[in-house]
Amino acid sequence: MKSYILNHLRELESEAIYVMREVAAQFENPCLLFSGGKDSIVLVHLARKAFWPSLIPFPLVHIDTGHNFEETLVFRDELVKKINGRLVVGSVQESIDTGRAKEETGYNASRNVLQTVTLLDTIEKHKFDAAIGGGRRDEEKARAKERFFSHRDEFGQWDPKNQRPELWNIFNGRKRLGEHFRVFPISNWTEMDVWQYIYLENIELPSLYYTHTREVFQRDGVWLAAAPFMMLKPEERIQTLQVRCRTIGDITCTGLTLSSADNLEDIIQEIAATRVTERGGRADDKRSEAAMEDRKKEGYF
């Protein structure tokens, strides 16, 4: 790896570690939001570095939609065991069963948006005052508006027009009772930075990120994984193809990429050549022009 890339990655690493240590210093009961995706896995790796040789001083919080890839859940449990960590799981199915959320119906039904209620309930239940997330500013225009320390009011809502200034490396974590912060240590990283860091640090990932054979179908130009809870339109046909994930979420909205990249070097070359954004295949982002921002205002990741 070229020296200027290595220096760049080490600067990003140092910045993220500094932010995590600020979280530990300023907040009483923080947590790390863990989706099982590459960004949250990198966060766990950075947290281990930040507090080594001690254990990570906060739990991992996973919001389980009930429609996750099985590979993600297996990887999650193995990682928590490996790092001797604590895991808190919020269940979207439980939110539905208790009437806190309403199941969507129809061809485009997804539980992705329902995660907001479950996340806010989990934060309230465990009294978390800061939630570390893997959001990056290059992902989506709404996420580009976030600060490192992103304030949420007592209803878990985000106001993009009323954010606190962040001068140099000074972060303001002051809050009132009932409020909390979302913290994004890798805000300044790009997708390429993440993949190059994974390569540099030899970070283990779920097999979903590498080319594998899967039953899929195409909807609105996006390849989606076939699953028992996915309702197919009359014209849609299931095919068996070689695919991989660029970003992982609920099965119902995670677009798959046709790919032959089965190792990190090939993935990095593929990302460098693509003209499709990382979230270009996320069906949940296509619901409206401001889909992500609207969800974030309500308390989404």
Side-chain angles (χ1 to χ4, degrees):
M1 185 173 287
K2 295 181 178 179
S3 60
Y4 71 88
I5 296 177
L6 178 60
N7 291 337
H8 171 67
L9 294 176
R10 290 308 182 200
E11 287 177 3
L12 290 174
E13 177 189 66
S14 295
E15 179 181 62
I17 287 175
Y18 175 83
V19 172
M20 285 195 171
R21 288 173 176 167
E22 278 294 297
V23 171
Q26 293 197 38
F27 297 99
E28 295 181 2
N29 189 27
C31 66
L32 190 154
L33 302 178
F34 185 80
S35 67
K38 67 183 185 307
D39 297 323
S40 61
I41 293 169
V42 166
L43 284 180
V44 172
H45 183 83
L46 290 165
R48 295 185 75 190
K49 279 197 165 190
F51 303 104
W52 184 265
S54 298
L55 299 177
I56 297 176
F58 34 73
L60 275 57
V61 173
H62 180 226
I63 304 303
D64 183 1
T65 66
H67 291 168
N68 295 104
F69 289 97
E70 181 63 25
E71 296 93 329
T72 302
L73 299 180
V74 171
F75 185 91
R76 177 200 70 185
D77 293 342
E78 290 178 349
L79 179 62
V80 170
K81 183 178 180 180
K82 176 182 176 181
I83 67 173
N84 195 18
R86 293 176 289 150
L87 177 66
V88 173
V89 178
S91 169
V92 171
Q93 184 62 57
E94 183 178 327
S95 297
I96 295 170
D97 293 342
T98 58
R100 291 284 296 151
K102 183 178 180 181
E103 184 90 79
E104 292 184 355
T105 59
Y107 292 116
N108 296 309
S110 173
R111 288 185 173 184
N112 196 58
V113 69
L114 305 186
Q115 293 180 86
T116 299
V117 170
T118 309
L119 172 62
L120 294 177
D121 286 350
T122 302
I123 289 173
E124 173 62 26
K125 177 181 178 180
H126 295 274
K127 305 301 179 185
F128 294 127
D129 54 0
I132 300 170
R136 307 188 325 268
R137 293 184 181 126
D138 77 315
E139 284 184 276
E140 200 273 340
K141 56 189 177 183
R143 285 185 167 167
K145 299 178 182 180
E146 292 276 17
R147 301 288 194 266
F148 279 99
F149 276 32
S150 186
H151 176 262
R152 297 299 196 269
D153 66 19
E154 63 269 31
F155 301 106
Q157 297 174 327
W158 173 64
D159 183 359
K161 296 181 180 179
N162 184 27
Q163 297 194 79
R164 300 174 181 183
E166 291 182 344
L167 306 176
W168 301 285
N169 58 355
I170 300 174
F171 304 117
N172 183 355
R174 295 179 181 176
K175 58 179 180 55
R176 297 185 180 90
L177 183 65
E179 298 176 343
H180 74 277
F181 276 79
R182 305 288 171 83
V183 181
F184 303 104
I186 61 172
S187 289
N188 288 332
W189 297 43
T190 65
E191 181 187 14
M192 181 61 80
D193 292 331
V194 171
W195 280 112
Q196 289 180 329
Y197 186 74
I198 289 169
Y199 177 78
L200 175 66
E201 295 286 298
N202 193 27
I203 299 173
E204 187 177 355
L205 295 175
S207 59
L208 291 166
Y209 280 110
Y210 303 97
T211 294
H212 59 284
T213 302
R214 185 174 293 275
E215 290 189 339
V216 299
F217 65 94
Q218 192 171 54
R219 176 175 295 170
D220 299 328
V222 176
W223 290 103
L224 297 171
F229 44 80
M230 296 286 282
M231 185 184 300
L232 269 64
K233 298 177 182 179
E235 69 276 13
E236 294 172 341
R237 296 290 180 269
I238 293 177
Q239 303 179 51
T240 301
L241 298 173
Q242 293 289 106
V243 296
R244 74 174 193 86
C245 294
R246 280 179 72 184
T247 176
I248 295 176
D250 186 272
I251 290 178
T252 58
C253 62
T254 298
L256 302 169
T257 300
L258 300 180
S259 174
S260 60
D262 59 3
N263 59 71
L264 290 173
E265 293 94 332
D266 287 349
I267 290 174
I268 289 172
Q269 291 182 9
E270 186 178 271
I271 297 301
T274 189
R275 293 297 177 265
V276 178
T277 63
E278 181 181 7
R279 294 186 68 92
R282 287 294 291 263
D284 50 332
D285 289 351
K286 300 178 185 296
R287 293 197 171 196
S288 74
E289 282 286 328
M292 173 65 82
E293 183 159 331
D294 291 341
R295 295 200 306 275
K296 287 180 71 64
K297 287 178 180 178
E298 295 172 356
Y300 184 74
F301 300 97

